[in-house]
Amino acid sequence: AQSVSQHNHHVILSEAASLELGCNYSYGGTVNLFWYVQYPGQHLQLLLKYFSGDPLVKGIKGFEAEFIKSKFSFNLRKPSVQWSDTAEYFCAVSTYGGATNKLIFGTGTLLAVQP
Amino acid sequence: DTAVSQTPKYLVTQMGNDKSIKCEQNLGHDTMYWYKQDSKKFLKIMFSYNNKELIINETVPNRFSPKSPDKAHLNLHINSLELGDSAVYFCASSHHLRTSGTTDTQYFGPGTRLTVL
């Protein structure tokens, strides 16, 4: 069965620090990869996604992620975080070639940015 | 305009009651989903409907019954509520699989926080 691991459960950074959140998945076939963000008290919003092509994808708010197929990873990065980036970040995977469009989520990483 | 909307936003009820959560999307999508987010923020899919047809039904108790009157609506009815049903329930929608078989981005609603006392 597919699974997604996010190794950092809770990250605390100061403003302007660089961010990298890890995401690894287990699935041998072709995947679509997503990062969603959930700000306090709000719903999930899509940050970025990878379907095919350039493995380095850029999303909203200065976030980017790199798909490394050999490592089954899709780490999220931002060169300089802001206080407003405080949120929960979820990595998700869906596989294609089957009949359904099911997202498998990681357990999330809570990012707290200190001003 | 809200793309994916859910009502109510908060729901507090007693054990044993029956309750419903409604979801509507105005994105023209043909597939809708229900996810459950537990107290540890873990998100797990429960159901998915494509054009009013059930296509995903994860291991969810029979007390949970989704209903899709049309492809813009997917409601979730829960019978005999239990303490463990307390969670945030998210509705989502997307286009269905593309002809190439690739998946599509899912857009989420604001969530319904269900508290069972």
Side-chain angles (χ1 to χ4, degrees):
Chain A
Q2 305 102 30
S3 67
V4 179
S5 299
Q6 290 181 244
H7 311 295
N8 315 105
H9 296 295
H10 196 178
V11 173
I12 302 174
L13 294 173
S14 298
E15 275 194 313
S18 65
L19 169 73
E20 180 158 3
L21 301 181
C23 173
N24 287 89
Y25 65 92
S26 65
Y27 181 70
T30 307
V31 294
N32 298 137
L33 297 154
F34 305 81
W35 275 99
Y36 282 87
V37 60
Q38 188 176 25
Y39 296 105
Q42 295 190 28
H43 63 287
L44 287 150
Q45 299 173 44
L46 182 69
L47 265 183
L48 47 79
K49 62 187 178 185
Y50 172 79
F51 281 3
S52 64
D54 188 344
L56 183 63
V57 292
K58 294 192 185 300
I60 59 171
K61 305 187 181 187
F63 286 90
E64 65 177 31
E66 185 175 13
F67 171 49
I68 303 179
K69 190 174 180 180
S70 60
K71 294 185 179 179
F72 298 91
S73 70
F74 190 55
N75 292 354
L76 181 72
R77 298 194 292 249
K78 185 170 183 178
S80 175
V81 294
Q82 301 171 317
W83 177 78
S84 58
D85 293 324
T86 294
E88 188 101 27
Y89 292 81
F90 293 93
C91 181
V93 165
S94 68
T95 58
Y96 66 85
T100 61
N101 187 11
K102 182 168 66 173
L103 277 179
I104 310 293
F105 282 90
T107 49
T109 297
L110 180 61
L111 171 65
V113 180
Q114 297 174 334
Chain B
D1 284 339
T2 304
V4 183
S5 59
Q6 293 178 230
T7 54
K9 190 169 182 180
Y10 300 97
L11 185 53
V12 181
T13 188
Q14 300 285 337
M15 264 176 36
N17 284 349
D18 303 338
K19 290 293 177 186
S20 292
I21 307 172
K22 295 185 177 182
C23 178
E24 177 181 1
Q25 55 94 5
N26 62 7
L27 295 167
H29 291 157
D30 50 14
T31 305
M32 297 183 72
Y33 313 80
W34 278 110
Y35 287 84
K36 179 180 180 180
Q37 186 176 45
D38 63 23
S39 58
K40 296 183 179 178
K41 296 292 187 84
F42 183 60
L43 271 155
K44 193 172 190 310
I45 190 163
M46 300 173 69
F47 301 103
S48 176
Y49 268 74
N50 172 246
N51 276 326
K52 302 192 293 176
E53 180 186 349
L54 182 66
I55 57 171
I56 295 175
N57 185 354
E58 294 292 290
T59 309
V60 176
N62 291 338
R63 299 182 294 103
F64 289 79
S65 53
K67 285 191 171 47
S68 181
D70 55 62
K71 66 179 188 179
H73 296 84
L74 180 61
N75 304 325
L76 183 64
H77 188 75
I78 316 170
N79 290 327
S80 303
L81 278 155
E82 299 177 357
L83 293 176
D85 298 333
S86 295
V88 181
Y89 293 84
F90 286 99
C91 177
S93 73
S94 75
H95 289 295
H96 193 44
L97 297 175
R98 301 173 186 174
T99 52
S100 61
T102 57
T103 57
D104 209 341
T105 303
Q106 294 181 26
Y107 294 87
F108 285 78
T112 296
R113 182 174 293 277
L114 171 64
T115 303
V116 182
L117 303 175

